[in-house]
């Protein structure tokens, strides 16, 4: 007889929310379904041969190190490579201000663990990355949404007036997940100014910044306010998500607290992965591969745009991201993407419904499409199937 574990659960566990994306995509696992759902990089970008060579080389050179525990802060060789990449981009970061994490999802969790009490407010985008919302919920925090065009000061001052001053602002300034939108320099400055005025922290989540297809890159929010920004980075989209390698750049006091939190979470991020990635970067493979990845994803973004323009009926609009992996579709107001999902699955195409990214429960007429993963042929077929599903739903209304 199985026991009923509900009575044993902690309050934190009770406030955790299952990923609606994973649940939805389980439905979309059938081989005949073309999925624009997950945030998967394209397997063509994985540097298999280079990694075979580096792993053999390092196993010859330093097997004891590779297979041993590492320090909680992370490998010096790896952190030096991360610092070098920032330096090349014009940002001076000391390696003592870098904590290696088991990809950026762990950074979101550790930061939530260190800063959030039950009932605390976190200000985040409408829409915003679901995995971050999950991290906030799991510490019983309350995300409050702000639209891209809303004035941050008005929202923060209204929250403060009702005793709900946010602990931090969560932002994905470059090629946001899910919308694909990038914050202008003015917007970054506005948010930093508000954080300074009201003494708030900022969590800048930046997995896509280096995947820019065109246009001018903007400075990180960290560079605008290094005293209060925690910058989370990852190699998941520029190298391989299977390595689970990420990091946080933050002021000394914050890094120190995050190290203590990480000690009880996993002691250290696999040193094997860090050393392999560090050597991969040292040899210059990272930059060469990143350029190829950018070219491939730009091509895929263009292709998806072409097919969207070709197949989508009147009344459907979409964003044009200058980088990253996603674009966001808005359907006519009356349409519900959840209902569309059921029709789309019958047409053998999948996506992520937009409302899972809205902490205010709205966004019913939106959906996210990933353009990095599917082949060119599947892209055409998939967009055509999606357009058919939308047309079917529109025809039912008439
Ligand atoms: N932040 C954002 C905005 C993301 O889109 C993702 C992955 N989709 C993550 C964090 C987590 O990525 P990882 O843990 O693989 O670094």
């Amino acid at each position: 007889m199985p026991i009923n574990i509900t009575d044993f659960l902690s309050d934190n566990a009770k406030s955790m929310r299952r990923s609606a994306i994973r649940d939805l995509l389980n439905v979309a696992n059938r081989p005949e379904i073309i999925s624009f759902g997950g945030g998967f990089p394209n397997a063509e970008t994985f540097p298999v041969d280079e990694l075979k060579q580096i792993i053999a080389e390092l196993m010859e050179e330093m097997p004891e190190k590779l297979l041993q525990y590492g320090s909680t802060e992370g490998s010096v060789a790896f952190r030096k490579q991360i610092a070098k990449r920032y330096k090349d981009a014009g940002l001076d970061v000391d390696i003592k201000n870098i904590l290696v994490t088991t990809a950026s999802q762990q950074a979101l969790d550790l930061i939530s663990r260190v800063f959030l009490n039950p009932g605390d407010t976190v200000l985040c985008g409408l829409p915003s990355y679901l995995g971050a919302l999950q991290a906030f919920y799991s510490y019983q925090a309350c995300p409050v949404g702000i639209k891209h065009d809303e004035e941050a000061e008005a929202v923060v001052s209204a929250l403060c007036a009702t005793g709900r001053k946010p602990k931090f602002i969560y932002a994905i300034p470059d090629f946001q997940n899910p919308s694909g939108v990038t914050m202008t320099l003015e917007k970054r400055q506005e948010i930093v100014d508000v954080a300074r005025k009201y003494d708030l922290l900022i969590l800048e989540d930046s997995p896509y910044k280096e995947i820019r297809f065109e246009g001018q890159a903007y400075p990180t929010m960290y560079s605008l306010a290094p005293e209060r920004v925690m910058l989370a980075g990852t190699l998941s989209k520029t190298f391989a998500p299977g390595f689970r390698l990420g990091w946080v750049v933050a002021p000394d006091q914050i890094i120190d607290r995050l190290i203590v939190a990480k000690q009880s979470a996993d002691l250290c991020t696999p040193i094997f992965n860090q050393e392999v990635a560090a050597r991969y970067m040292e040899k210059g493979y990272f930059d060469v591969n990143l350029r190829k990845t950018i070219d491939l994803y730009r091509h895929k973004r263009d292709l998806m745009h072409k097919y969207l323009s070709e197949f989508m009926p009147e009344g459907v609009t979409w964003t044009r991201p200058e980088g990253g992996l996603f674009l966001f579709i808005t359907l006519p107001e009356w349409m519900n993407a959840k209902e569309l999902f059921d029709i789309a699955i019958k047409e053998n195409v999948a996506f992520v419904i937009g409302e899972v990214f809205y902490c205010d429960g709205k966004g019913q007429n939106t959906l996210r499409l990933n353009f990095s993963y599917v082949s060119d042929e599947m892209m055409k077929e998939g967009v055509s199937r999606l357009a058919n599903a939308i047309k079917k739903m529109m025809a039912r209304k008439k």
Side-chain angles (χ1 to χ4, degrees):
M1 186 63 178
I3 59 163
N4 179 359
I5 69 149
T6 317
D7 295 341
F8 295 88
L9 292 177
S10 68
D11 292 342
N12 279 355
K14 282 182 195 151
S15 75
M16 287 174 190
R17 301 205 182 171
R18 205 174 288 278
S19 166
I21 298 190
R22 281 181 194 270
D23 288 351
L24 283 174
L25 296 183
N26 281 341
V27 182
N29 259 343
R30 299 201 311 266
E32 63 276 22
I33 290 185
I34 298 174
S35 179
F36 297 123
F40 284 26
N42 196 296
E44 260 180 55
T45 67
F46 297 155
V48 178
D49 291 337
E50 292 86 340
L51 288 176
K52 279 185 191 162
Q53 170 214 325
I54 289 171
I55 291 168
E57 194 176 296
L58 289 176
M59 282 303 263
E60 199 57 45
E61 249 173 67
M62 50 168 97
E64 318 77 26
K65 182 168 188 186
L66 239 50
L67 301 173
Q68 193 50 277
Y69 284 112
S71 71
T72 306
E73 297 75 333
S75 129
V76 171
F78 181 58
R79 285 184 292 155
K80 276 189 177 158
Q81 288 302 315
I82 301 301
K84 181 174 178 300
R85 296 200 68 71
Y86 282 123
K87 191 157 182 58
D88 292 347
L91 185 64
D92 261 321
V93 176
D94 197 301
I95 70 161
K96 75 175 177 13
N97 295 104
I98 300 176
L99 168 66
V100 177
T101 57
T102 305
S104 54
Q105 191 64 40
Q106 185 182 51
L108 302 178
D109 182 67
L110 296 178
I111 288 167
S112 302
R113 175 131 54 124
V114 165
F115 290 108
L116 297 177
N117 283 322
D120 274 353
T121 303
V122 177
L123 197 59
C124 56
L126 276 179
S128 199
Y129 171 53
L130 177 66
L133 298 178
Q134 280 186 292
F136 307 150
Y137 287 129
S138 68
Y139 295 94
Q140 304 178 63
C142 306
V144 170
I146 172 167
K147 293 203 189 85
H148 199 72
D149 52 3
E150 242 175 318
E151 222 187 82
E153 163 124 41
V155 176
V156 171
S157 83
L159 284 169
C160 290
T162 54
R164 293 187 295 154
K165 177 177 155 173
K167 268 284 172 64
F168 57 78
I169 300 175
Y170 171 67
I172 311 160
D174 296 281
F175 325 121
Q176 201 235 28
N177 180 3
S179 68
V181 170
T182 295
M183 274 184 200
T184 59
L185 179 56
E186 294 71 36
K187 191 77 196 168
R188 289 167 204 237
Q189 193 62 59
E190 179 199 331
I191 291 175
V192 162
D193 290 346
V194 169
R196 283 213 169 109
K197 181 167 173 188
Y198 291 84
D199 196 20
L200 316 175
L201 296 169
I202 294 174
L203 168 47
E204 177 177 18
D205 191 5
S206 186
Y208 307 106
K209 188 172 175 53
E210 290 195 285
I211 310 177
R212 176 171 272 284
F213 310 146
E214 64 232 349
Q216 186 66 40
Y218 297 115
T220 56
M221 293 167 99
Y222 176 82
S223 69
L224 302 176
E227 82 285 0
R228 65 184 61 246
V229 177
M230 301 168 276
L231 170 60
T234 177
L235 293 190
S236 286
K237 313 295 178 172
T238 49
F239 174 56
F243 266 61
R244 310 307 298 136
L245 280 184
W247 60 90
V248 186
V249 183
D252 295 353
Q253 295 177 62
I254 294 182
I255 290 291
D256 187 51
R257 293 286 175 174
L258 293 175
I259 288 173
V260 177
K262 184 172 164 69
Q263 285 166 352
S264 70
D266 65 354
L267 300 178
C268 64
T269 293
I271 187 77
F272 188 101
N273 300 9
Q274 296 180 63
E275 293 300 327
V276 172
R279 181 65 60 92
Y280 176 81
M281 290 164 133
E282 262 163 49
K283 284 181 179 271
Y285 291 143
F286 186 94
D287 285 303
V288 174
N289 199 50
L290 180 60
R291 280 195 290 277
K292 280 196 222 148
T293 304
I294 291 171
D295 288 344
L296 179 69
Y297 292 178
R298 183 192 305 105
H299 160 76
K300 295 217 176 268
R301 190 268 328 253
D302 289 346
L303 213 55
M304 186 168 260
H305 263 249
K306 172 172 150 21
Y307 297 136
L308 286 168
S309 310
E310 227 170 281
F311 299 129
M312 281 297 156
E314 192 87 359
V316 178
T317 59
W318 49 90
T319 55
R320 187 173 192 284
E322 289 189 337
L325 272 63
F326 304 107
L327 59 79
F328 208 55
I329 293 204
T330 305
L331 303 166
E333 199 82 41
W334 64 269
M335 285 182 89
N336 186 318
K338 227 183 216 166
E339 282 168 38
L340 177 66
F341 185 84
D342 295 334
I343 304 172
I345 287 295
K346 288 191 191 118
E347 297 283 322
N348 287 332
V349 62
F351 53 81
V352 177
I353 59 169
E355 67 176 85
V356 302
F357 304 104
Y358 283 79
C359 62
D360 64 354
K362 301 231 170 82
Q364 276 76 14
N365 64 326
T366 61
L367 52 113
R368 186 191 78 179
L369 297 186
N370 163 279
F371 53 78
S372 59
Y373 183 66
V374 300
S375 68
D376 291 4
E377 303 73 51
M378 292 293 126
M379 176 90 80
K380 181 172 186 184
E381 182 57 28
V383 175
S384 154
R385 289 179 191 175
L386 179 59
N388 283 341
I390 295 175
K391 285 177 197 159
K392 276 192 182 159
M393 193 168 168
M394 287 175 162
R396 279 187 198 168
K397 197 193 175 207
K398 281 183 190 146

